[in-house]
Amino acid sequence: MKRLFFLCLLFATMGCSKKYGYDFKNGFETEPKKDTVTMDLDTSMYKVDRSQYTQARVFPGMMDVTEPRLKDYKITLNLAYMQVRSGDLRVSVTPQPYFSTGLFAPAGELLTIDVPEGIYGLQANVGAHTDNLAGVSPLKRAEIIYTRTQLFPGRNYIRNLYGGTIWIIAARSLDKTVTLNVSGAAKSADFVLGETTDADWLEQVKKTTVPWLELRGKRMVLTIPKDRLQRYPLESPTLLMQEWDKVIALDYNQWLGLSDTATDIRHLAPQLPWRIVMDVQPVVGYAHSGFPVVCMMDDNWFRQITSADALTHGANWGAFHEIGHNMQQGGVWSWPELGEVSNNLYSFKVDKRNGIRRGNFNTAIAIGLPFAATVSATKKYADLTDLTGRLAPFIQIFEKYGYGFFTELHIRARNARFTSINTQDKVDFFYECLCDYTTKDMEPFMNAWGLYISNISKGKMSAKYPLLTEQVWKYDPR
């Protein structure tokens, strides 16, 4: 028996002596193995990829070969920021953490960006024109002309075949300033409010061949083509960007009940700037909302966004319209027929502050009054097909009861426990807020405009307030 046991043990030991191609000692390989992942990095600073020069000349344009390329140029970015998200404010879009660098990448040339050790979550966006035109016909520029590259500690290599404005995108706040080293880029003639004087900026514009530049305020950044300044000179970007900051601070943030010092994020004004970028071909129509707002690169839009006089004297509608889209509260009270309506109310607020009245004000009332005066139990607000006419009930409320109603409406929408699940909920929400603001049961006013209230909301408000007796829907604020 013992002999049999030892024989079995011998055979078992022999069976375990098979070699599997590994030679380990103390848990470590005797020699390091080569990485099986190979990566070809484009690291030649002297190579220029000219394959898209023809397209790049068409758009976004190219700088002169003599334009100085920077070497080891330091940019310091304050990446300590508070992100106010669209869900916090219950609006469509809020500004995103895109940070300007004041640099422009030459088409087809290599850039290097050196990132400090321990810094993660940054991206380099080369090209401010981020609309993807795939499927659009006919094309006025290449479909995709921007690149977005993740940055890691150490040296990063980037080549964009079309060239473009360089932004740094931070996925999260790093709670500190970060300095990056950039080589291969050119300096753009950016104006920075509070840092650049008008005279210095005008001198920069004269000297540079970089085709794009930015005008930067605290609350707005404009990305514009340099060549338009030849036709429409801008003598004081300081005045312009101060006025833009006023518009955003007073006629958007403050009007909506948002504050820079609010401790509740639901009422905190966006801490990052809005951006408007001109493009030869916006992916949707003449301009579109979103971040950034994109508008057509034509004379009309250029004058709208770069003229302080246009901002203060009623010659700007499009920019206010698109930013207004971003601030719509479609999940709470802005019902479907207001999609191209409620976003236009900001123009009237700007005008009110500046003591002027634009033509759209009078046109809205002229179209809306006959509709409201029509006696019909079946008419609907949607039957008023003229979008300008649909502004009339809002103008009546503002001029009769005060522009503060809009503030109260937005605050209540942000504080609401739930969002609305259908159009009736949105109309009821609006009605109840209007009743509370005016301390009257405003059902007759709503009915006159073809907006009908549910029995539940009607019961709540009729129990609190007397029925409106004045025919406010016939009020002509002209």
Side-chain angles (χ1 to χ4, degrees):
M1 179 66 84
K2 289 183 178 179
R3 183 179 179 185
L4 180 60
F5 172 77
F6 285 118
L7 286 173
C8 291
L9 184 60
L10 177 62
F11 290 137
T13 305
M14 292 172 62
C16 291
S17 65
K18 181 178 179 181
K19 294 186 179 293
Y20 290 90
Y22 300 122
D23 183 14
F24 296 118
K25 183 178 181 180
N26 296 328
F28 297 95
E29 293 186 71
T30 55
E31 293 182 6
K33 300 293 185 182
K34 290 184 178 179
D35 194 337
T36 56
V37 178
T38 59
M39 183 180 296
D40 294 326
L41 289 179
D42 183 2
T43 60
S44 173
M45 298 297 290
Y46 302 102
K47 172 187 172 185
V48 178
D49 188 333
R50 298 178 174 83
S51 61
Q52 297 301 315
Y53 264 23
T54 300
Q55 291 274 30
R57 286 192 181 96
V58 172
F59 193 84
M62 294 178 63
M63 68 184 74
D64 197 272
V65 292
T66 60
E67 187 71 36
R69 273 57 166 173
L70 303 170
K71 183 173 176 57
D72 293 327
Y73 183 80
K74 288 179 170 51
I75 56 170
T76 300
L77 305 174
N78 182 4
L79 300 183
Y81 66 89
M82 171 66 75
Q83 175 74 61
V84 180
R85 303 182 188 280
S86 58
D88 298 324
L89 307 184
R90 287 183 169 166
V91 298
S92 299
V93 178
T94 51
Q96 301 299 302
Y98 291 15
F99 295 89
S100 297
T101 65
L103 301 178
F104 192 90
E109 298 181 29
L110 193 68
L111 304 177
T112 65
I113 301 179
D114 296 332
V115 178
E117 195 63 36
I119 300 299
Y120 294 91
L122 302 183
Q123 289 181 304
N125 188 100
V126 180
H129 306 96
T130 56
D131 276 2
N132 184 340
L133 302 185
V136 176
S137 180
L139 285 171
K140 296 180 181 178
R141 65 159 171 86
E143 293 178 351
I144 302 174
I145 61 174
Y146 78 101
T147 54
R148 194 166 289 177
T149 306
Q150 196 73 37
L151 299 178
F152 297 97
R155 177 151 293 182
N156 299 265
Y157 299 89
I158 303 167
R159 192 189 300 273
N160 181 299
L161 300 184
Y162 303 91
T165 300
I166 301 173
W167 296 332
I168 299 297
I169 303 175
R172 57 184 174 81
S173 172
L174 298 183
D175 296 323
K176 60 183 176 181
T177 59
V178 173
T179 298
L180 307 178
N181 257 29
V182 182
S183 293
K187 193 94 170 60
S188 53
D190 288 12
F191 172 84
V192 182
L193 185 63
E195 297 181 18
T196 316
T197 68
D198 291 344
D200 287 344
W201 178 74
L202 289 169
E203 192 63 26
Q204 288 181 51
V205 171
K206 286 179 185 177
K207 292 179 179 178
T208 186
T209 65
V210 174
W212 288 82
L213 59 91
E214 291 191 330
L215 306 175
R216 294 188 249 158
K218 178 183 178 182
R219 303 179 192 274
M220 175 61 74
V221 178
L222 308 175
T223 305
I224 62 172
K226 184 181 77 77
D227 62 5
R228 296 282 159 154
L229 293 168
Q230 296 172 0
R231 285 204 298 262
Y232 305 103
L234 175 58
E235 297 301 323
S236 179
T238 297
L239 178 63
L240 172 68
M241 299 317 294
Q242 285 174 341
E243 194 56 46
W244 261 117
D245 281 356
K246 275 188 194 176
V247 168
I248 300 301
L250 302 177
D251 305 315
Y252 286 84
N253 295 347
Q254 189 180 96
W255 196 31
L256 301 185
L258 301 171
S259 166
D260 287 335
T261 58
T263 54
D264 186 338
I265 198 168
R266 293 177 298 177
H267 309 302
L268 182 64
Q271 302 296 289
L272 298 165
W274 292 104
R275 289 180 177 271
I276 299 177
V277 175
M278 303 196 79
D279 196 329
V280 72
Q281 190 170 19
V283 70
V284 179
Y286 191 41
H288 66 75
S289 57
F291 192 84
V293 168
V294 177
C295 67
M296 183 65 74
M297 193 180 72
D298 65 7
D299 291 352
N300 173 49
W301 265 101
F302 189 84
R303 289 196 300 267
Q304 277 195 54
I305 65 176
T306 63
S307 167
D309 187 67
L311 296 183
T312 56
H313 289 87
N316 188 317
W317 181 268
F320 299 160
H321 171 101
E322 300 302 349
I323 301 169
H325 267 310
N326 288 342
M327 299 306 288
Q328 285 177 311
Q329 292 183 314
V332 186
W333 66 267
S334 190
W335 56 90
E337 289 81 13
L338 297 180
E340 293 294 334
V341 177
S342 62
N343 59 311
N344 287 322
L345 297 172
Y346 298 92
S347 290
F348 300 134
K349 174 60 173 64
V350 176
D351 293 349
K352 184 76 172 179
R353 177 170 59 84
N354 287 298
I356 64 168
R357 180 168 290 174
R358 69 179 68 215
N360 304 67
F361 184 103
N362 295 331
T363 301
I365 296 298
I367 296 172
L369 285 181
F371 175 85
T374 302
V375 179
S376 172
T378 59
K379 71 175 176 180
K380 297 178 181 178
Y381 182 73
D383 298 335
L384 183 54
T385 55
D386 188 284
L387 298 180
T388 303
R390 288 184 186 179
L391 292 164
F394 291 91
I395 294 174
Q396 288 179 329
I397 292 169
F398 295 159
E399 294 294 321
K400 187 72 175 178
Y401 300 110
Y403 280 67
F405 167 68
F406 211 52
T407 310
E408 181 62 26
L409 180 63
H410 281 77
I411 292 174
R412 283 180 60 147
R414 294 194 297 271
N415 285 334
R417 187 176 176 188
F418 302 110
T419 55
S420 299
I421 61 174
N422 54 41
T423 298
Q424 186 63 62
D425 280 354
K426 295 174 185 179
V427 173
D428 285 351
F429 187 95
F430 182 89
Y431 160 71
E432 290 181 21
C433 184
L434 183 60
C435 292
D436 287 337
Y437 189 78
T438 61
T439 66
K440 296 178 177 63
D441 180 354
M442 298 294 288
E443 185 188 23
F445 177 82
M446 300 292 286
N447 289 346
W449 287 105
L451 296 165
Y452 303 107
I453 312 307
S454 71
N455 290 333
I456 295 175
S457 280
K458 168 62 180 173
K460 286 166 59 178
M461 295 299 105
S462 62
K464 292 171 66 176
Y465 306 114
L467 189 67
L468 176 71
T469 56
E470 185 180 2
Q471 293 181 322
V472 179
W473 57 92
K474 294 183 179 180
Y475 168 54
D476 188 344
R478 294 173 295 176

